[in-house]
Amino acid sequence: MLDKMMFRCFLTMSACVCFCAVSGCGAGSDAPTRIDLTGSATFDGQPIATGEIMFIPDSRKGNKGPAGSAVIKDGTYTTAVGGTGVVGGPHTVRVVAFDGKSDPEAELPFGKPLFPEYEMNADLPAASGSEPQKFDIAVPKEALNPKKVNPADQV
């Protein structure tokens, strides 16, 4: 059940990224400056075989602008290839990861999920030149058992 739910989440995130890319989201002359990020993506110290990362500006901390994304392949990612750059500043970073062992019969083209969707907060670097900025993502083993958060506590 969790496998199919994670796969649907991955597809939904991918569809959102494609929609923004096709519709020209953030492409106007007054669009914020995006930067490319590159780095490693690990789970419990091991490279993530395949997955996706979403970078969502944290409006609660005054950051706004378009979301960014990247595809994880063999423990590394870059927003410059198959993704979209990010605006700098506070972000919510969401990671979906799979073991990379495709099982089409079980409707798992990316393999089994390694953990439920993982979310973290990060302050991403601001634009400085044209070179991608390094930002490594380390998902801890504790992501296997996420804490239940009471929505009333987040207000």
Side-chain angles (χ1 to χ4, degrees):
M1 180 71 170
L2 178 63
D3 296 343
K4 286 185 180 182
M5 188 170 71
M6 290 294 296
F7 177 67
R8 287 184 183 134
C9 178
F10 182 75
L11 286 179
T12 302
M13 289 173 61
S14 297
C16 289
V17 170
C18 289
F19 176 76
C20 284
V22 170
S23 67
C25 179
S29 62
D30 61 344
T33 301
R34 290 182 182 246
I35 61 164
D36 283 315
L37 295 178
T38 187
S40 64
T42 60
F43 170 56
D44 192 25
Q46 300 301 311
I48 294 172
T50 188
E52 186 169 26
I53 306 166
M54 292 292 296
F55 301 95
I56 303 154
D58 191 341
S59 61
R60 295 173 298 165
K61 294 183 179 173
N63 197 8
K64 59 183 178 179
S69 67
V71 174
I72 302 169
K73 178 96 172 118
D74 299 326
T76 63
Y77 78 93
T78 178
T79 60
V81 178
T84 52
V86 302
V87 296
H91 279 69
T92 298
V93 180
R94 293 188 180 140
V95 181
V96 179
F98 302 89
D99 66 10
K101 298 173 185 168
S102 179
D103 186 357
E105 290 182 17
E107 298 180 19
L108 299 170
F110 305 107
K112 293 181 180 177
L114 297 176
F115 46 83
E117 181 178 272
Y118 178 72
E119 188 173 291
M120 62 184 255
N121 295 315
D123 195 15
L124 300 180
S128 65
S130 61
E131 292 297 313
Q133 300 292 309
K134 185 149 177 66
F135 182 76
D136 294 330
I137 295 175
V139 178
K141 185 177 185 176
E142 292 77 27
L144 285 171
N145 300 307
K147 296 178 186 175
K148 300 289 183 193
V149 177
N150 182 349
D153 294 339
Q154 292 187 335
V155 177

